[in-house]
Amino acid sequence: MQVRFEDINMAFDENKVLNNISFQIPESELVTILGPSGCGKSTTLMLISGLIFPNSGKIYFGDKDVTSLDAVDRKVGMVFQNYALYPHLTVLENIQFPLKMQKVPKKERVERAMELAKLVKIEEHINKRPKDLSGGQQQRVAIARALSKRPSLLLMDEPLSNLDARLRIEMREEIRRIQQETNITTIFVTHDQEEALSISDNIMILNQGDIQQYSTPTELYNYPENLFVAKFLGTPIINSLAMNEALNLPSLNLKSKEIQMTKTIAIRPENLYEVESKEDALISGTVRFVEIIGKNVTVHVDTEIGEIVATELGFVHKQGDTIHLAVNEKDLLLFDDKENTIQRGALK
């Protein structure tokens, strides 16, 4: 099912949450709505579900205007952060509960529940109750229950936030597998960029009720449309440098017009490399701290214009070392005085 928003505005009392946003989610895609707390992502999901209604604008499922339809009539599947399983029912009974409410014959609903238990790989636990399951197992049950009515849309609101780090990785892979096997249009809400980048066909980044960018994970990371998107994606955070005489601009090979327009230069930590001389470097500094986590080495460098972080230097430095850092022109991100992109990484 395709989902389309046209000029949607949403406010709670005097608090404006969504500012005239429009977008389209293609059928059979997994799209993530990503952004910081309070950006409007959960509100967007509730508007799609029919749990709340917009102040103005239209919502379409395919060609059908569903703006005024409530949640029951929209027939979407929802998975929440807290699972919301019935503690007195077994796994199988939880999965088939929506079908029972629809008065689906028992044989048919049990068959459907077993089919879904196998899909989410929980069939060995169908006679257990929620308290006897791990967090990841409970989430699998919640997904199966949401799919039991064969919804056209699956909505997921921060579904992994209660899981530990290893389980989160396992479950996000499972969510992607299930989505691809069922071919169901899925809208996934999270504040976790790693989750979004790892499983999404497309990502919509919201901030303060506005869509900052809506594109593929690769496009977002390599070609952000503004400085907010560039800073929001990537760990460690992108290096953001104000145009300053401390920067050796001739090393960048920029056109004079680009230099005139640029107020901020941003460089991903993995795109910095070390050179031998200060003359060949964009910036030089002193190693303040080296962070080693397994094979990942992050070097924090103090410079005249603040700290710079580099992750792919190929040599483990020690505190106090003087270091000269450069970057290839194709890996630069340039932003104007309104923090909009002038040039995106490798020029297209």
Side-chain angles (χ1 to χ4, degrees), residues 1-3 24-30 152 179 183-185:
M1 179 71 73
Q2 180 196 85
V3 178
Q24 181 172 300
I25 294 175
E27 185 173 2
S28 302
E29 280 200 358
L30 193 160
S152 298
Q179 188 271 330
N183 213 30
I184 185 172
T185 305

Side-chain angles (χ1 to χ4, degrees), residues 84 191 201 321 337:
H191 64 275
D201 292 304
D321 284 352
D337 57 353

Side-chain angles (χ1 to χ4, degrees), residues 258-296:
E258 291 171 340
I259 293 175
Q260 290 169 11
M261 293 176 65
T262 299
K263 298 299 179 185
T264 305
I265 293 175
I267 307 165
R268 296 282 179 200
E270 66 269 23
N271 290 331
L272 285 165
Y273 62 91
E274 190 173 0
V275 293
E276 291 187 4
S277 68
K278 186 174 183 178
E279 290 70 28
D280 294 329
L282 172 64
I283 191 77
S284 299
T286 303
V287 175
R288 180 181 64 82
F289 173 62
V290 179
E291 180 182 5
I292 302 176
I293 303 176
K295 64 182 179 61
N296 299 316

Side-chain angles (χ1 to χ4, degrees), residues 151-199:
S152 298
L153 291 173
L154 179 62
L155 310 181
M156 311 187 83
D157 191 5
E158 300 274 8
L160 308 181
S161 58
N162 288 339
L163 304 180
D164 62 40
R166 188 174 294 276
L167 263 180
R168 287 175 78 120
I169 293 172
E170 177 185 322
M171 281 308 302
R172 75 188 187 208
E173 293 171 353
E174 282 297 285
I175 286 170
R176 185 54 168 164
R177 176 188 65 80
I178 292 164
Q179 188 271 330
Q180 290 178 327
E181 287 189 18
T182 59
N183 213 30
I184 185 172
T185 305
T186 301
I187 303 168
F188 186 97
V189 162
T190 184
H191 64 275
D192 187 313
Q193 56 161 302
E194 191 173 313
E195 285 178 9
L197 291 169
S198 66
I199 69 173

Side-chain angles (χ1 to χ4, degrees), residues 56-96:
S56 64
K58 296 287 186 181
I59 301 172
Y60 293 89
F61 287 1
D63 295 326
K64 183 179 180 181
D65 183 347
V66 299
T67 311
S68 59
L69 291 183
D70 63 23
V72 174
D73 292 327
R74 293 194 194 185
K75 298 178 180 177
V76 300
M78 293 199 68
V79 179
F80 299 98
Q81 177 179 343
N82 62 0
Y83 318 137
L85 301 177
Y86 298 107
H88 62 290
L89 300 181
T90 66
V91 166
L92 197 64
E93 290 167 340
N94 264 285
I95 296 172
Q96 62 179 302

Side-chain angles (χ1 to χ4, degrees), residues 13 19 39 133 141 171 207 216 220 225 252 256 271 275 290 321 324 330:
D13 298 324
N19 306 312
C39 70
L133 304 176
V141 178
M171 281 308 302
N207 187 41
T216 66
L220 283 168
E225 292 182 0
L252 297 180
S256 59
N271 290 331
V275 293
V290 179
D321 284 352
H324 308 295
K330 69 180 182 63

Side-chain angles (χ1 to χ4, degrees), residues 14 83 97 102 184 191 213 244 249-251 254 257 277 281:
E14 299 300 314
Y83 318 137
F97 187 80
Q102 290 183 328
I184 185 172
H191 64 275
Q213 191 169 343
N244 189 291
L249 294 181
S251 72
L254 295 176
K257 185 177 181 181
S277 68

